[in-house]
Amino acid sequence: MHARLSSTEENYLKAIYKLTEHDVQGASTNAIADQLQTRAASVTDMLKKLAAKLLVDYKKYQGVTLTEQGRLTALSIIRRHRLWEVFLVQKLHFGWDEIHDIAEELEHVSEPKLIQRLDDFLGNPTADPHGDLIPSAHGELPETDQILLNRLQVGDSGMIIAVFEHDPKFLQYLDEVNLNLGKQIGVVKRVDFDDSMTIRFADGRELVVSKLVSSSIFVQKHA
Ligand SMILES: [Zn+2]
């Protein structure tokens, strides 16, 4: 295993993981700077450091990718973040809109024994309170068949299983309209003009959701 990384180094690995997760291409310096709200020059310096530690592959003009070691390290940081989020909601009774910033700090405590005991204490959860899947200690992520709500057509139905957006204001809105994880919904109407949709809950209640909302929620579609 590698020597301990600083919180900043860990945040870079996480940012690069997120930027390259669904993409074969590397992350650009500018995209990383955007994600971490820092200057491109600082990014370049840090990438050289991480490349020297064999955590990233950094080729000019091709962008940055994680090495296998870098990918496993990023997944272990994500694992810690998501386990702490479960702990904060289940054991300390925080709301799902309050936990992200706290977990951003706790994720940098990397003692493996602590994290394994936390995982066991929580009953080895597979998803965090936002529905994001928790990587195993070996860096494996369970398969998922989630799709964005806005991909459903009229007549389709499914269950809300995760949120793409973690902004507290968004999560508070979902609480207000009772659009939480585990809810069963069906699509009764779509408006082509603005891509809004009307969904119906199991109890018959209907709700109009904007394109922004329907593209920030993941569902598991019923066959
Ligand atoms: Zn979070």
Side-chain angles (χ1 to χ4, degrees), residues 81-82 85 99-101 103-104 128 130 132 166:
H81 181 107
R82 293 179 181 170
E85 287 195 335
I99 52 180
H100 181 76
D101 287 350
E104 283 289 291
D128 76 12
H130 305 121
D132 291 320
H166 293 184

Side-chain angles (χ1 to χ4, degrees), residues 3-20:
R4 279 202 59 165
L5 300 172
S6 70
S7 300
T8 312
E9 290 171 319
E10 292 195 333
N11 287 338
Y12 268 79
L13 293 179
K14 225 172 42 161
I16 299 165
Y17 178 84
K18 284 186 180 149
L19 289 166
T20 55

